[in-house]
Amino acid sequence: MGERSVSGMKVASKKSLCYFFSMITLLFILSWLFVLRSTHFEGISISSTAHDSNLNLFSSFNDSSSAADHDDDNNNDNQTVEPSFGNRAILGNSGNIKARTTKQVPEKEQEKEGVECSNTRGRVVLKVFMYDLPSEFHFGLLDWKPEEGNNSVWPDITTKPPHYPGGLNLQHSIEYWLTLDILASEQLPFNAKTAIRVRNSIEADVVFVPFFSSLCYNRYSRTGPHEKKSRNKLMQDMLVKYVTAQEEWKRSGGRDHVILAHHPNSMLDARMKLWPGTFILSDFGRYPTNIANVEKDVIAPYKHVIAPNDNDQSTFDSRPILLYFQGAIYRKDGGHAREELFYLLKNEKDVHFSFGSAQKGGIKMSTEGMRSSKFCLNIAGDTPSSNRLFDAIVSHCVPVIISDEIELPYEDVLDYSEFCIFVRTRDALKKKYLINFIRSIGKDEWTRMWNRLKEVQSFFEFQFPSQESDAVQMIWQAISRKVPFMNLKINRSRRFFRSLYGQKKGPKSIPAPATFS
């Protein structure tokens, strides 16, 4: 009898313990669910607040003059708002380049209908310190001389700026337009100021080196009969000596400098010593990756040679030529595809593929040909890019790009697949592949791309004074998007100052990286 009682007590005890532990476990789970539920939205709020705070902290342009430099996304169907970094632009589906921000912009400051760049009209975004280089490095190359008694190295642009030579010289004239724009930020009261000149380099986001390197190459690259070095090379030597001696270069190791080298052959000597800076290039065709790369440098468009087709009323059916190319066919380096495509396409009835140049009315012929064509071939030549692409854009002739190594301007904010056709070289060289592919593109798709070309045309227009969304403003914006990377490189270079130099504040200048030889 006693044994049964003890056995029953053991069973009851085990049941009680199981029940007790089950209740404890259930209460524990419920309590955690309650805690997680109560803190879920609070956690999101804190995370979002911290994220916005970090964006404000690390934005290179977050000051009293640029705190409201960005427009809201005006798409009423989608009210999602994303934080912006600096002045990084976002390409909207409607064709507008917009910057998204968490702040509301008054209705009167919202973007006008059409394609606008991301900056509110008249707001300063990028602060630029420009070296007062002697005039022989810039406008002196245009045969400009200061008036007698005037010690300024810069022309008075309030009347008329010095003339830049026409023809093919224009395609690499980026240095001229950017320098004019910086001067205009001081001398002209116009509104489209994406960049402004500052006189104190400590306040600047970037340091601008106003050397007209492309013009110098075009005019002075040949060596005279009694010269050991061309004037172009001598100018590069003098530039390196001047720039690397400046306090601004020593302070950053050149990492915040903007250097113009748009012509593929310009600055071939100086680049080996000035490479820590940000180069403004047309492509990377002549540059090793340790000297220039898409991470630190900016690709700028060519200045188109063909006049823009401003009053274009053409249609798919009114352009009789299907595919157009006129230019140099036999090229060195990566240009072998031109020759092979010539033999593949020359007998197609609605294809124009012929040799041509800018001489003897070549520009006029190209203008008429591109405006009469549905598609325009842009094939790699001596380098991956050429001004032919930008001539096609302003002619509203849908570009067909056959250049595997090409880099395109503003491609971090602009989707070229909306108005260009890309074909890999190995595919284009297959028999009948390219022509069959182009013929498969119908009227509706071509018309959509043609309309998009008209919308983006302003991004590739160089003008003075510069206007909203033109090439000058877009290049400045592309430079401004490199500023965080410049600051990253500068700050990383300061890590070991104190331990290496044994000083509390470190040296006054940052050693530049080793040069390549």
Side-chain angles (χ1 to χ4, degrees), residues 8 15 21 123 149 200 206 224-225 228 234 252 262 264 304 332 360-361 370 374 407 419 424 457 498 510 514:
K15 289 182 178 180
F21 281 116
R123 299 294 178 85
N200 185 349
V206 297
K228 293 182 178 180
L234 290 173
S252 67
H262 198 259
H304 58 81
K332 55 186 178 181
K360 298 180 180 180
M370 286 187 169
K374 298 177 180 69
E407 296 289 346
F419 54 90
R424 288 179 296 191
Q457 175 182 329
R498 187 169 180 181
I510 300 175

Side-chain angles (χ1 to χ4, degrees), residues 28 33 47 58 74 104 155 183 228 271 403 411 475 486:
F28 179 78
L33 288 173
S47 174
F58 294 110
N74 294 326
Q104 296 294 324
L183 294 175
K228 293 182 178 180
R271 69 184 186 181
S403 181
E411 199 171 9
I475 293 171
M486 296 178 191

